[in-house]
Structures are given as C-alpha cells and as structure tokens.
C-alpha cells in the first residue's frame, strides 16, 4: 500500500528507510522512499511487511509524511518579551537560557516542586526516560506526569492489581485471528486502528464470533455478531451481570479458579446483587442478550476480552476494568492459548511511555518511586544519592488544576502534548496555563498550548529521529531517521541534556538516542518492564522484542501468564467491585448524556491531523452524532448547528443524525479547538486509583441553533 508523494523538507537517503507510523499504538511499519518529481524531490510512504500490520496502513499513516514539510512547521525558537507581546524569533541559546531562568526563579521563590514537566505518550522510550530523569535529577522536583494518564491509566491500575503487571496486550496482536470468540468493550478499532482489523477478519473467516459492548453502533459493532448497547457509564454493572449469569449456569472454570487465583469466594457472594433484571434496568441491555453473550464467551475454546477507553475513561474506570478481568479469570482465560484479557492501548508509545518514569509515581522498568529498593537501584544507574530523588508527585489533571497556585507548579515545560485541547475541563486548564509565571512548550507546530507559552522550541519529529517505541503488544520497535530535520529543529533529548548542563548536572545526561537506550536498559534491569536483554541489533534482527527480556540470551516474552502471574504467590487476584452512578447524571437542566471519542480521520488534539490535507478533506469539521428521535424533540435538522452545554462550558457543532447512537446520548469527537473544543465540557472527576478523569460521560443540555432562511443564525 502506497501513499501520496509528499515534499521532502530536508535531505533523505537514496534508498528507502523502514520506520514506524507516528500515530497510534499499532506502530505500523512503513517505508519512506525519496522519489524525483516534477516539482522537486518527494517522499513516498509505503506500508511495510511487519507482524502487526502486514503492509497495511490507514489514511493517517499514508499521509503522515505531509507533516515533515508542512508550511506551519516550527523551525526556530520563539520567545515573548512580555505576556501581552507577540512571539519573535530567538537563538537557541537565548531560548534555553530563558527556560533555565524561568525554572530556577520559580524554584527559588516557591520550592523545588514549583518547576515541572508535562510529557506525552507519543515520545520515544528514550525521551520519556530522559524526561523523568531530568525532572528528578536536574530539577530535583516531584512535578512530572503526562497525557497517557488520560489514556491508559485505569487499565494499567487494574492489570497491576489483578495480574501483578501492566502490559496492555499480554499476547501478540495476531493471536486475535486464532481466538474463537472476541468481546470488545468500549473499543472501536475499525475506525481508530483500521490495520488491526485484518486479524479480526481472519478470525471471522474461520468462524469466530465477535461481540461488542458500546453505546454506539460503531463500524466495529457493525461487523460483530452481537452488539450490547449499554447506557454510558454502566459497563461495570454489565460485567458483573454477565459473571452472575456465568455462575448461575455453572459456566465458570472452577479448576482454574482453584489453581491460579485468589479472592473468588468474596466476589461470588458480591455477585448476588447483580441479578439479570436489575442489570437490565441499570444498563439497558436486555436479559436475553446478556444470556446469549455469556454462553458464547464461556462455551468457546479460545476467548478474548479486549477493553478500550470507552470502558476505562471514567471516575470508576479502574474498577470497571477489574470487573471485566474478573469475568476473564472466572472463565479461565488468562494464560490459555489465544485467550485472555487485554486493553487496546491508544497512543503511539502509550505502553513504553508509561514504563520508564514519566508518571508521577514511577521509575524506569515500571518500578515505583516510593519503593526504597527501586530508588537505590535507579539512583545507582543515574549516579546520584537515592535521597536526592523526590517522592511521588500528583497526577496529570491534579498538576494542571493547581498550576499557578500556592503549592502548585509555577514554571512548566510541556513536551509533545496539547493540554489546552486534550485535558478535561479544558477552558479551566487554559486559564491555569495563563496563570503560570513561566511556560515553555516543545512541539512541531504552534499548538493551542504553544500559543500560550513564553518560549516555544521547535522539535524534531518521527521520521527525523532515531529511537525506540513499545507498541500495544509490549513489542519494542526501532524508530529510524529517514530525513534530516529542518535546520532549526532539535531533538527533545538534546534539549533536556542542554538544560541539565545549564542547571549544573550535564555530566549525568547524554543526547544520543542509543546511549540513552543503553542506560534505560540498565535502569530497567530487574523491573517488571525489564529491557535489559533488548538491544538495537536484536530489535532489527527479530522485528521487535517483547518485554520482559532480562538478558541478551532470553528470547523475550510474547505471551505472559502461561506459567503463573508475577504476584507474590503466583496467583491472579479477583477484586470485589460495585457499580456506582457516573459522577454526573442527567437532570432537569442537563437532561442528556454526552460521550466523547475519536473519529476515523483525526487523532488526539488534532495538532497533526487538522494540518493534513487528505484528512481534512475526509473530515473538514466535527459532527455531533444525534439519534433522529432526539433530534425531533429538539427541532434539529440533519446538518443543523447544535449547542452543547454542560456545567463547565459549551461547544457548537454540526449535527449528524444517525440511529447508531442511543436516543438519550450524543457523541462528539475531541480533536477540535476553538468553540468546538469538546473537552471544555468534559468532567474532571477522577478515578481514586488511576486518577483518570471522566471523559466518557457527563450531563449535557442540547439546543438547536435556529437559522434564518439565508442560513445565518437568527441572532447573528
């Protein structure tokens, strides 16, 4: 599969270079090949053979090279002489010194934790590792977290509690084709990771049955055998209800439960509260559909339960993930061939980005910052005293919510993240960013967050840098440099190393990706996410290596849990979890439910995809999905404007009428900015374990915007 011929911004090798897509966690392999074209040299994007995508690319991957030579590309540092003045070009020396001064002044006035960094789930393993080390060693601050907290944290917390380890998929993606039954919960890979659908299609060709749990009748649901359409925020009750039925019909695997798990008796007693009629009243899923689903799941030879953000981005998201893990364990799935529970990681390095120190409570190798032994090991690799390392800081939204306040961060660096659009209650977050004493942003474009900064740094991007990524399977991959970056752009690795030198700790930092990876290997050794045996040469030769891989002689671990679980007694753990209402439910003022998510043509905050012509042509503006029955009550026509208002803010979007959404719910994508910033509306209520905000459900008021016969607003 080949994409369009796209201009080259810098020099490129004569032969094609194999690398990986800059977008989602599939990390599809691609080849970038320079070609001569009438208008000058161009770069051809071609899907490459690889175990995950087998040469397939979606429209985002095919058009990704357009970003490299985009006219909006940042190529020189920008600074402001005052907050109310425009940006001007600056030298790298001036920009970096301003950052050092801003961080230092904040720490001198307010203490070490007043300087912080907010990272991104698309950064390479090396950058994520260096960011965590920089904050804790160069700044000696506890203030670091990243946007992956908004993506994977609930599933990660649940897997760690149940299995003792968090690797999104504990088996290769290709195992999906060998499963006889697959249940997807709040996941829509047909739209958000299309190349993965070849594995689902292969399973269906051999007779597999697929079930989908989603409030929307998505493209994935349309290809399934059974669609369960619950009220948003009731997935936990549904999981408990299905497990209640499995117990009632004696479909649980009692031998597996006895031999490989703990905590079953307490859970079995708790399930008595989830009799079928009650669960139908809570979820809206008919009992007959639940009965059919549980029998298909339990009577299959090989069954998978795959979870996504639809089930996890809730204030009870970690409990919801645990409920589905409970069902998987009761059916004896984890560790069985072509079976188990997994979560479909979203961001490009959503897996690796949460393993090596970007999270507020974490050290490399998935070690915990509060663990004395972990501190000693990592401090030894870093060449510092363990007592120098700070204690855990606060989570992503808590950090953003406290910016510019007493006890909060006063000087912030943001890397590879656009929190002005992607954070919940985004308008409030923008206010907090503006209240900072100092803000620096590193990005490839002038994002909505960068527009608020005092200093903006132009960074290299995916095809201009070397490094590693870890995809949704836990497979460590090589990102390879295919073209030169624009002359004024620098890697975040180099930026962090330079800043560390200016802060007096330069001897502890390197800016070469391979050298940083070698240090990461040592720092992760002995941890749950052990990369010690993974080398760049092995990655090249073996088309990726699965962690844990504790030595160069170890073959890597494509499949976890076959012999046991990495818990003290080797058993997986059931957890008693109970349904509770969403943090915000419909009432007289806000009578409907809003749920949010991704669309096929766009990605994350839209910083990249809203600048890509092919993707904008496919979806030039956002549309809110509204059921025709609800539209009739609102007096709303297809294509008409709809005003959405919650307790936090409002947004205005074009309506698309569709019977694929529940009549009590509307769906809107979150990729847009301005008066279409849907995260201005979302609820920042946090999961107590994962600190995940409740992106996926809130109460909303809907108002059709009347127009005159000329098509203009009546109040225009």
């Amino acid at each position: 599969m080949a994409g369009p011929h796209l201009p080259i911004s810098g020099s490129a090798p004569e032969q094609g270079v194999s690398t990986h897509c800059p977008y989602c966690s599939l990390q599809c392999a691609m080849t970038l090949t320079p070609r001569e074209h009438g208008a000058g040299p161009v770069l051809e994007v071609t899907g490459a053979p690889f175990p995950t995508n087998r040469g397939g690319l979606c429209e985002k991957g095919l058009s990704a090279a357009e970003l490299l030579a985009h006219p909006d590309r940042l190529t020189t540092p920008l600074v402001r002489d005052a907050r109310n003045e425009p940006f001007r070009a600056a030298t790298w020396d001036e920009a970096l010194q301003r950052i050092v001064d801003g961080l230092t002044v904040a720490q001198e006035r307010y203490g070490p934790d007043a300087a912080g960094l907010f990272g991104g789930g698309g950064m390479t393993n090396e950058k994520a590792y260096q960011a965590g080390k920089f904050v804790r060693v160069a700044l000696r601050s506890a203030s670091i977290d990243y946007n992956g907290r908004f993506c994977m944290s609930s599933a990660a917390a649940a897997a760690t509690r149940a299995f003792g380890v968090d690797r999104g998929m504990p088996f290769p993606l290709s195992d999906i084709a060998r499963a006889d039954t697959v249940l997807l919960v709040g996941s829509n890979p047909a739209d958000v990771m299309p190349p993965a659908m070849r594995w689902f299609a292969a399973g269906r060709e051999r007779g597999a049955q697929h079930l989908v749990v989603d409030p929307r009748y998505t493209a994935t649901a349309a290809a399934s055998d059974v669609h369960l359409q619950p009220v948003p925020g009731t997935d936990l009750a549904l999981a408990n209800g299905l497990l209640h039925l499995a117990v009632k019909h004696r479909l649980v695997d009692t031998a597996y439960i006895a031999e490989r798990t703990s905590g079953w008796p307490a859970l079995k007693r708790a399930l008595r509260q989830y009799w079928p009629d009650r669960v139908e009243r809570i979820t809206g899923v008919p009992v007959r559909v639940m009965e059919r689903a549980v029998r298909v799941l339990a009577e299959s030879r090989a069954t998978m339960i795959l979870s996504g953000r639809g089930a996890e981005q809730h204030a009870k998201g970690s409990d919801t993930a645990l409920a589905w893990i409970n069902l998987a364990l009761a059916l004896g799935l984890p560790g069985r061939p072509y079976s188990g529970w997994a979560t479909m990681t979203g961001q490009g390095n959503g897996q690796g980005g949460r393993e090596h120190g970007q999270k507020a409570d974490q050290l490399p190798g998935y070690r915990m910052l509060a663990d004395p032994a972990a501190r000693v090991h990592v401090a030894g690799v870093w060449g510092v005293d363990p007592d120098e390392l700070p204690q855990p800081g606060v989570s992503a939204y808590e950090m953003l919510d406290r910016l510019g306040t007493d006890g909060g961060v006063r000087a912030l660096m943001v890397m590879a993240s656009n929190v002005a659009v992607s954070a919940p209650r985004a308008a409030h977050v923008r206010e907090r960013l503006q209240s900072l004493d100092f803000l620096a942003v590193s990005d490839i474009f002038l994002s909505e967050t960068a527009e608020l900064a005092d200093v903006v740094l132009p960074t290299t991007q995916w095809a201009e840098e070397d490094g590693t990524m870890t995809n949704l399977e836990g497979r460590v991959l090589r990102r390879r440099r295919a073209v030169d970056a624009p002359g004024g752009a620098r890697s975040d690795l180099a930026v962090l190393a330079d800043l560390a030198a200016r802060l007096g700790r330069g001897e502890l930092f390197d800016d070469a990706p391979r050298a940083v990876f070698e240090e990461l290997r040592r720092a992760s050794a002995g941890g749950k996410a052990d990369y010690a045996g993974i080398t760049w040469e092995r990655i090249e030769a073996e088309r990726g290596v699965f962690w844990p891989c504790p030595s160069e002689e170890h073959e890597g671990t494509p499949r976890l849990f076959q012999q046991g679980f990495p818990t003290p007694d080797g058993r997986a753990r059931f957890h008693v979890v109970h349904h509770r209402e969403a943090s915000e439910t419909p009432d007289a003022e806000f009578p409907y439910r809003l749920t949010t998510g991704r669309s096929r043509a766009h990605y994350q905050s839209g910083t990249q995809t809203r600048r890509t012509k092919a993707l904008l042509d496919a979806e030039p503006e956002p549309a809110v999905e509204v059921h025709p029955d609800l539209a009739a009550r609102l007096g709303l026509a297809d294509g008409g404007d709809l005003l959405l208002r919650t307790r936090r803010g409002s947004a205005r979007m074009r309506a698309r009428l569709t019977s694929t959404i529940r009549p009590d719910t509307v769906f809107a994508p979150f990729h847009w900015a301005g008066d279409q910033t849907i995260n201005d509306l979302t609820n920042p209520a946090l999961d107590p374990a994962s600190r995940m905000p409740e992106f996926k459900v809130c109460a909303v008021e809907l108002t059709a915007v009347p127009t005159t016969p000329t098509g203009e607003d009546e109040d225009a």
Side-chain angles (χ1 to χ4, degrees), residues 272-516:
R272 296 170 187 166
Q273 302 178 39
Y274 294 89
W275 62 91
D277 289 344
R278 179 183 179 232
V279 174
E280 179 176 341
R281 289 195 300 273
I282 293 171
T283 66
V285 177
V287 172
R288 59 177 173 76
V289 177
M290 288 188 277
E291 290 273 8
R292 179 185 176 191
V294 77
R295 288 195 178 276
V296 171
L297 293 170
E299 294 172 357
S300 168
R301 176 188 61 86
T303 296
M304 290 182 179
I305 299 175
L306 307 179
S307 179
R309 306 301 82 71
E312 299 160 8
Q313 287 182 319
H314 296 268
K316 55 177 180 294
S318 57
D319 280 357
T320 300
L322 281 170
W324 293 103
I325 291 173
N326 285 341
L327 178 61
L329 288 171
L331 298 179
L333 306 182
R336 205 164 84 191
Y338 313 116
S339 301
W341 174 90
T343 184
M344 304 288 279
T345 299
Q347 292 195 75
N349 202 28
Q351 182 67 56
R354 67 182 189 265
E355 295 169 358
H356 298 300
Q358 270 195 108
K359 288 175 68 177
D361 58 352
Q362 192 189 82
L363 289 171
Y366 229 123
R367 288 180 164 90
M368 303 313 294
L369 185 55
D371 177 8
R375 295 168 67 87
V376 168
H377 171 81
V378 174
V381 174
W382 287 349
V384 300
D385 190 305
D387 291 339
E388 286 187 33
L389 301 181
Q391 291 299 318
V394 299
S395 70
Y397 183 76
E398 291 168 299
M399 179 196 293
L400 297 174
D401 183 44
R402 301 174 190 178
L403 295 177
T405 66
D406 291 344
V409 169
R410 297 296 186 123
L412 180 69
M413 293 182 63
V414 177
M415 289 184 159
S417 189
N418 188 14
V419 293
V421 175
S422 64
R425 198 184 173 198
H428 170 71
V429 169
R430 293 193 295 275
E431 291 175 359
R432 299 269 40 91
L433 289 167
Q434 291 170 308
S435 75
L436 285 165
D437 294 354
F438 179 82
L439 173 63
V441 174
S442 173
D443 211 324
I444 60 176
F445 297 119
L446 193 67
S447 69
E448 287 75 15
T449 303
E451 289 174 351
L452 304 176
D454 300 287
V455 175
V456 179
L457 302 179
T459 187
T460 54
Q461 56 175 307
W462 61 288
E464 302 161 352
E465 60 188 15
D466 287 303
T468 62
M469 306 283 279
T470 305
N471 78 350
L472 77 171
E473 312 162 292
R475 187 195 305 257
V476 185
L477 313 167
R478 276 276 286 114
R479 175 175 278 184
R480 300 172 186 85
R481 186 177 65 82
V483 298
D484 291 336
R490 291 188 187 179
S491 166
D492 288 332
L493 282 182
V495 168
L496 291 170
D498 193 321
L499 291 173
R502 293 168 187 257
L503 290 164
R505 311 225 73 173
E507 75 282 3
L508 302 177
F509 288 80
D510 204 304
D511 63 0
R514 185 162 188 154
V516 175

Side-chain angles (χ1 to χ4, degrees), residues 7 22 41 45 81 127 193 198 275 307 337-338 381 448 526 552 629 655 693 716:
V45 180
D81 293 318
K127 291 180 180 181
M193 47 180 66
R198 68 177 56 238
W275 62 91
S307 179
Y338 313 116
V381 174
E448 287 75 15
E552 292 187 36
D629 292 349

Side-chain angles (χ1 to χ4, degrees), residues 79-88 98 451-454:
V79 301
R80 296 183 199 273
D81 293 318
R83 275 284 170 88
N84 61 350
E85 293 190 12
F87 286 116
R88 64 169 175 82
R98 283 190 177 220
E451 289 174 351
L452 304 176
D454 300 287

Side-chain angles (χ1 to χ4, degrees), residues 77 109 125-126 178 263 325 351 399 436 471-472 552 592 629 633 646 687 692:
R109 290 179 178 174
N125 289 320
E126 293 78 10
R178 303 292 298 275
I325 291 173
Q351 182 67 56
M399 179 196 293
L436 285 165
N471 78 350
L472 77 171
E552 292 187 36
Y592 305 107
D629 292 349
R633 292 199 298 273
T646 72
D687 182 295
M692 168 73 80

Side-chain angles (χ1 to χ4, degrees), residues 118-122 145-154 156 309 313 347 349-350 353-354 358-359 396 417 604 690 692:
F118 196 98
D145 214 271
Y146 80 125
N147 63 15
R149 179 76 68 170
F150 301 154
C151 180
M152 296 305 308
S153 59
S154 288
R309 306 301 82 71
Q313 287 182 319
Q347 292 195 75
N349 202 28
R354 67 182 189 265
Q358 270 195 108
K359 288 175 68 177
S417 189
Q604 302 300 84
S690 67
M692 168 73 80

